[in-house]
């Protein structure tokens, strides 16, 4: 076509035709690439916050109200509409709970054109009309500026939030869901946590009596990285964080644990040194079960020891189930 145009019309016209055809081919081929890298709900993907059995149960049943969409590539007019249609279809879905939170992750997005910005404005209007909170994560400064110039109000207190990562967005969405439907203050009893995890048992109070009660304040160290694992901890109330100190000296936050969480059971079972620090974030009531006490129960009161192991096994099973869901999703 280029040769024919050059022969019949002229060189510049043939060059223009070549540029036009190659651009059209590029747009067509690039538009065939998937713009969605990964998609999940709040049932399948959780934040790095360990919660009480009641909270976990509620999120397992109602986490579909949270939609996580990881985007990729360069978003332009050939692909941007797919994102809008995806959100629109989810809003119209009748086989799932009403959509309340959308998390759009831009970590693997290289850029976006003006048509894509217009599509995000459509999403903003959909969110406002349907009272849906939208969180944008890992947004590059240039893209954030373009969204602001387009008139989209961004910020943690706006309908569209800009947050550091998916984990933070999920934590906020989960906290909102739970605050509306779960009586967290009514679950501050350790006995209540145990009964929710493995069911009522007349000897659960005796198990608690074999533990040491600790009252800790913010920045108290519960576990130090590298020390021997001689006990396991049960968080009755409060909040602790798990953090790693990297070889570079940088401190990386790994998880947050709330009331009902169990801390340090893996290292205790494997008889390995602690792999992370656990620091108290808020005034906390924590119960400590030492390896010596657990061994004594196994020798003189096997029924009580079985209860303790049942609690630890239930907690580990929940963590494994969440990990398996994530592996299955990434293999799709």
């Amino acid at each position: 076509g280029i040769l024919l145009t050059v022969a019949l019309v002229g060189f510049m016209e043939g060059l223009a035709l070549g540029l036009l055809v190659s651009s059209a081919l590029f747009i067509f081929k690039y538009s065939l690439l998937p713009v969605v890298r990964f998609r999940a709900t709040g049932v399948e993907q959780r934040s790095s916050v360990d919660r009480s059995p009641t909270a976990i149960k509620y999120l397992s049943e109602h986490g579909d109200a949270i939609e996580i969409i990881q985007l990729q590539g360069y978003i332009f007019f050939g692909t941007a509409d797919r994102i809008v249609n995806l959100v629109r279809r989810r809003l119209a879905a009748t086989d799932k709970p009403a959509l309340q939170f959308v998390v759009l992750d831009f970590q693997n997005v290289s850029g976006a054109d003006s048509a894509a910005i217009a599509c995000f404005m459509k999403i903003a209007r959909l969110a406002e009309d349907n009272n849906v909170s939208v969180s944008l994560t890992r947004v590059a400064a240039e893209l954030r500026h373009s969204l602001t110039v387009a008139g989209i109000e961004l910020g943690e207190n706006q309908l569209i939030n800009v947050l550091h990562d998916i984990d933070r967005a999920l934590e906020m969405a989960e906290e909102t869901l739970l605050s509306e439907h779960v009586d967290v203050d009514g679950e501050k009893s350790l006995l209540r946590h145990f009964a929710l995890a493995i069911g009522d048992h007349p000897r659960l109070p005796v198990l608690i009596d074999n533990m040491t009660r600790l009252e800790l304040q913010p920045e108290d160290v519960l576990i130090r990285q590298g020390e021997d694992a001689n006990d396991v901890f049960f968080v009755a109330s409060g909040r602790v964080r798990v953090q790693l100190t990297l070889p570079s000296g940088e401190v990386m936050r790994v998880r947050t644990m709330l009331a009902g969480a169990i801390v340090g059971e893996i290292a205790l079972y494997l008889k390995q040194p602690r792999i992370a620090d656990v620091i108290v974030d808020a005034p906390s009531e924590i119960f400590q079960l030492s390896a010596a006490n657990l061994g004594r129960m196994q020798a003189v009161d096997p029924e009580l020891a079985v209860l303790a192991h049942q609690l630890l096994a239930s907690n580990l099973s929940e963590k494994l189930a969440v990990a398996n869901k994530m592996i299955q999703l990434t293999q799709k």
Side-chain angles (χ1 to χ4, degrees):
I2 293 171
L3 288 174
L4 187 61
T5 303
V6 169
L8 296 178
V9 183
F11 176 78
M12 294 304 296
E13 289 77 3
L15 182 60
L17 176 64
L19 289 172
L20 181 64
V21 172
S22 60
S23 298
L25 287 173
F26 171 79
I27 291 170
F28 173 73
K29 290 182 178 180
Y30 204 90
S31 66
L32 296 178
L33 297 175
V35 68
V36 176
R37 175 188 176 93
F38 176 81
R39 185 182 174 193
T41 69
V43 172
E44 300 156 330
Q45 185 171 353
R46 301 269 179 83
S47 71
S48 60
V49 178
D50 286 353
R51 303 184 184 277
S52 69
T54 300
I56 291 172
K57 183 174 184 293
Y58 185 85
L59 290 175
S60 297
E61 294 173 351
H62 301 89
D64 282 333
I66 306 170
E67 186 81 11
I68 306 113
I69 304 171
Q70 282 186 305
L71 306 174
Q72 65 179 359
Y74 186 85
I75 304 175
F76 69 115
F77 65 87
T79 57
D81 269 336
R82 297 184 203 168
I83 306 168
V84 181
N85 292 334
L86 190 63
V87 175
R88 190 176 283 121
R89 286 197 301 270
R90 176 58 187 86
L91 283 168
T94 57
D95 58 335
K96 293 182 179 180
L99 184 64
Q100 292 181 246
F101 306 92
V102 174
V103 180
L104 295 174
D105 181 67
F106 290 81
Q107 183 174 5
N108 297 287
V109 172
S110 57
D113 69 359
S114 57
I117 301 300
C119 285
F120 290 125
M121 292 181 68
K122 291 180 183 178
I123 292 176
R125 285 194 292 271
L126 284 171
E128 187 174 5
D129 293 342
N130 293 276
N131 196 28
V132 174
S133 176
V134 178
S135 294
L136 310 182
T137 61
R138 301 286 188 181
V139 183
E142 184 179 350
L143 179 56
R144 181 169 180 169
H145 175 72
S146 299
L147 292 170
T148 305
V149 170
I152 301 176
E153 294 185 359
L154 307 174
E156 289 205 19
N157 296 319
Q158 303 294 336
L159 194 63
I160 297 185
N161 304 307
V162 177
L163 301 170
H164 181 264
D165 53 28
I166 290 178
D167 186 66
R168 175 61 179 150
L170 277 175
E171 182 179 348
M172 285 186 61
E174 291 169 357
E175 292 288 351
T176 304
L177 276 180
L178 294 171
S179 66
E180 294 172 353
H181 300 283
V182 177
D183 180 15
V184 178
D185 290 334
E187 296 184 9
K188 290 184 177 177
S189 161
L190 188 63
L191 181 61
R192 168 82 170 154
H193 291 312
F194 286 177
L196 290 169
I198 62 173
D200 290 319
H201 193 284
R203 301 208 64 199
L204 282 176
V206 182
L207 177 61
I208 295 174
D209 288 340
N210 279 270
M211 301 179 186
T212 303
R213 180 176 175 273
L214 307 173
E215 288 190 5
L216 302 176
Q217 299 303 315
E219 299 309 314
D220 285 346
V221 178
L222 186 65
I223 291 175
R224 291 190 185 277
Q225 186 174 342
E227 68 182 8
D228 292 335
N230 296 316
D231 35 32
V232 62
F233 300 93
F234 301 84
V235 183
S237 65
R239 183 185 187 100
V240 301
R241 69 179 185 270
V242 182
Q243 63 184 37
L244 283 171
T245 302
L246 304 177
S248 62
E250 179 187 357
V251 175
M252 180 178 70
R253 191 183 188 110
V254 179
R255 297 193 70 79
T256 298
M257 296 183 164
L258 304 180
I262 300 175
V263 187
E265 74 281 15
I266 296 177
L268 179 69
Y269 272 141
L270 297 179
K271 298 184 182 346
Q272 293 180 347
R274 306 291 191 183
I275 61 172
D277 295 321
V278 179
I279 313 295
V280 178
D281 265 346
S284 302
E285 181 185 29
I286 297 175
F287 286 77
Q288 175 187 24
L289 177 61
S290 67
N293 256 4
L294 187 57
R296 182 186 56 78
M297 285 189 288
Q298 289 173 175
V300 302
D301 195 341
E303 182 185 44
L304 207 56
V306 167
L307 275 181
H309 288 299
Q310 190 176 349
L311 278 167
L312 299 178
S314 173
N315 184 65
L316 288 170
S317 298
E318 175 63 30
K319 291 178 179 177
L320 182 61
V322 172
N324 283 340
K325 285 180 182 178
M326 285 303 301
I327 291 172
Q328 291 169 2
L329 280 172
T330 56
Q331 290 178 342
K332 285 184 179 179

